[in-house]
Amino acid sequence: MGLLCLGTPLTWDEASKYADHVRKHGITQFLHIWDRANDRHGDDFLWGDEIEYMVIAFDDETKNAKLSLRQTEILASLNKSITDLKCDTPDPMSIPTFHPEHGRYMLESIPGSPYTGSIQDLLSVESNMHYRRLLARRHLNVNEVPVTVTSFPRLGVSGIFTEPHFSPDGAKPSHSLFFPDEIISPHARYTTLTASIRSRKGHQVSVNLPIFNDDKTPRPFVDPTIPWQRSLYPVDNGVALKDHIYMGGVLFGAGCCCLQLTFQSCNIEDARRMYDALIPMAPIMLALTAASPIWRGYLSDVDCRWSVLSGCYDDRTAEEMGRAPLRENKYVIPKSRFDSVGLYISTDWNNKAAYNNINVPYNQEIYTRLVNHGVDKLLSKHMAYIFIRDPLVIFSETIDQDDEASNYHFENLQSTNWQTVRFKPPPPQSGIGWRVEFRSMEVQLTDFENAAFAVFITLLSRAILAFNLNFYIPISKVDENMSRAQKRDAVRQGKFFFRKHVLPPGYISPTMTTPSSSGSSSPLGWQDGIPPKETKLRNGFPRVPPPSMLVDAPVEDEYEEMSMEEIFSGKGAMFPGLLGLVEAYLDTLDINPSERLQISKYIDLVRRRANGSLLTTASWMREFVRSHPSYKFDSVVSQEINYDLMVAIDEIERGVLRVPELLPHDYARSRVNGLHESKYEP
Ligand code: ADP
Ligand code: MG
Ligand code: MG
Ligand code: MG
């Protein structure tokens, strides 16, 4: 996880004096990692998920579903019981870990130890997630529930939306019009991060999301609920756009939940290839998992959280955004710290220079230092790009580090560059290898769905390895896909740029013998030229030399616009679709029919989302609001509608409420052996 060390945080003015110090030592720390681990090879496939929850407190009398600000108490009680559970079990590594998150109503959970490449572990993901949810639930009050909702519909409304209620008057670190300070996790990292972003930028971060124009939404829509009286300028000074939902404050983004996955590669080059391969997948999976259509009490015209996070973590000054001549700052930086990836980094022959076609400013001094040390140019550029930013949180006790043994300053910048995919170097003294984190997905309402997307991406990542798949498209097109992915109903109505031929040259089907085997006479263990089935998920790309006749067609001919259904189910004779690739990979595994059946349920959910026969969470929520008896078709999501929505979400998760348009008809909440459900469960 990111840095959660406790200490005395420096104010922004103090911290900024140490920016060069942190960057310099951060790079020294990276170079030590590089020296130790750049030829590290043979790491097993390990992987894990992260799930974030909001704790909702139901007030049945006033019909209000509020955010419960009991993170500290809940984590204290959870962690105590986790310590006890670890003592009581022969397998302490099976006991999960819980972390705080930015909002004081948020929790994050990860498995007690990473999953291995075994099929058994793959099939345990749903019950692992469910176990974590039940464990959390046990430490909540009777009226509280942990929900996996991406954005809380009434975060920042003018009414009461937290339990307990605090007035936003005089909110300090974020100077938000909408939040009390008490809604931010009390951990110093989060309050300092919030204050530093604002101070660095010179004013409050804000986002304007287009409002969903319903039948009776006023046109133009000018939000009457913004409490301008709390602002430094007691009137709207133009920051809130007409026809938009205005949100000012880091928490509007940082207070969202998501589903993330981390995969360990067998070596650095494979991690770089996996990183690159997952970059074009990020917007596709964002659209497929879309789950956040309601913001600050209004239906919006977007379905996803990403642009809100991008805006809320955007610490760039006007100069860095290109809106003023560079005087104080050194670079014009096209992207927020929270944004899509800047550049592909693999040195594989498939990664053509033409794919890195957007402007990526980088710290020249750091770049030269890395190159002079022997780091190749692409990775040097990636690091020098990450290190263009300032460290936002510095604790006075941590300024001096042993650069050989610590990655503290490196992680300071690494963990505050929130790209859709993250390249994670091995931490010192850990035994952990090179990893890649897939970060774009929105969290789903049920563990079944979260497991389905986790299993799908994991299998796809293995298919990428097994069949040596090539997903490269120009990075500008990935960016275009990011903006398309967030539009309302993008899954059913949108088109996305995708590569036409993803198999290696000369291959028309992934079921043809995998490239690693081509040309060799039957190696040991093969039957009739067919390799034996693999018992574990693979780790490692086959080594494929570039074809002798590499036809260098223009990259524009390599991709086209496809519907989501085409991307997943295939297009024409040459593109089998992502699901076809995953199915072909499953055929290479030694799995029994009942295991295959369970995996098929997950794959089927993905298929049905992609072909529109099941709704995304976002579409379902939008329809829920629009069919609520008290909805006035004016885009307003009232306290009562939100209450009923949260009740429904809890009931769906528990399998009490059936919603066939959202979940398959045979959806059943997973069961966890040995952990009795909370007494509050029906
Ligand atoms: P962060 O917040 O920095 O992404 P977390 O600690 O919250 O990190 O989550 C890390 C994820 O990586 C967890 O799911 C964990 O199970 C998984 N993980 C831990 N070790 C490894 C490893 N060696 N390889 C792959 N994944 C790992
Ligand atoms: Mg984490
Ligand atoms: Mg998190
Ligand atoms: Mg993470």
Side-chain angles (χ1 to χ4, degrees), residues 258-320:
C258 67
L259 164 67
Q260 295 173 341
L261 302 171
T262 296
F263 303 118
Q264 179 165 277
S265 295
C266 70
N267 60 36
I268 183 173
E269 183 46 36
D270 274 22
R272 293 167 68 166
R273 287 179 71 179
M274 185 55 68
Y275 176 82
D276 283 8
L278 291 178
I279 290 168
M281 284 307 302
I284 304 300
M285 296 311 292
L286 177 63
L288 206 64
T289 56
S292 40
I294 313 169
W295 299 88
R296 208 165 55 67
Y298 294 109
L299 274 178
S300 79
D301 215 29
V302 304
D303 275 357
C304 301
R305 76 194 188 292
W306 198 270
S307 67
V308 179
L309 280 130
S310 219
C312 289
Y313 276 113
D314 192 351
D315 68 343
R316 289 172 301 168
T317 63
E319 293 180 19
E320 288 170 333

Side-chain angles (χ1 to χ4, degrees), residues 480-491:
E480 172 62 29
N481 281 350
M482 276 304 283
S483 84
R484 293 182 181 192
Q486 304 181 58
K487 297 212 162 91
R488 174 164 51 84
D489 210 14
V491 169

Side-chain angles (χ1 to χ4, degrees), residues 456-473:
F456 171 74
I457 288 294
T458 302
L459 288 172
L460 182 67
S461 73
R462 300 310 97 184
I464 288 168
L465 294 169
F467 306 130
N468 215 2
L469 302 178
N470 176 351
F471 285 177
Y472 283 110
I473 57 173

Side-chain angles (χ1 to χ4, degrees), residues 50 260 424 437 439:
E50 295 163 67
Q260 295 173 341
K424 291 175 158 176
E437 184 184 15
R439 305 167 41 82

Side-chain angles (χ1 to χ4, degrees), residues 317-379:
T317 63
E319 293 180 19
E320 288 170 333
M321 294 177 94
R323 294 178 184 162
L326 285 175
R327 288 203 181 92
E328 300 285 316
N329 299 116
K330 286 196 197 136
Y331 314 94
V332 174
I333 310 177
K335 294 189 184 195
S336 160
R337 292 175 89 112
F338 201 113
D339 220 313
S340 49
V341 171
L343 75 161
Y344 294 112
I345 58 172
S346 171
T347 52
D348 185 66
W349 57 271
N350 277 311
N351 181 16
K352 299 182 187 171
Y355 299 134
N356 277 331
N357 68 342
I358 60 168
N359 172 27
V360 174
Y362 57 94
N363 183 315
Q364 187 66 52
E365 205 182 310
I366 288 177
Y367 175 79
T368 308
R369 194 176 155 206
L370 289 161
V371 170
N372 287 344
H373 191 91
V375 182
D376 58 273
K377 288 183 178 166
L378 263 182
L379 191 60

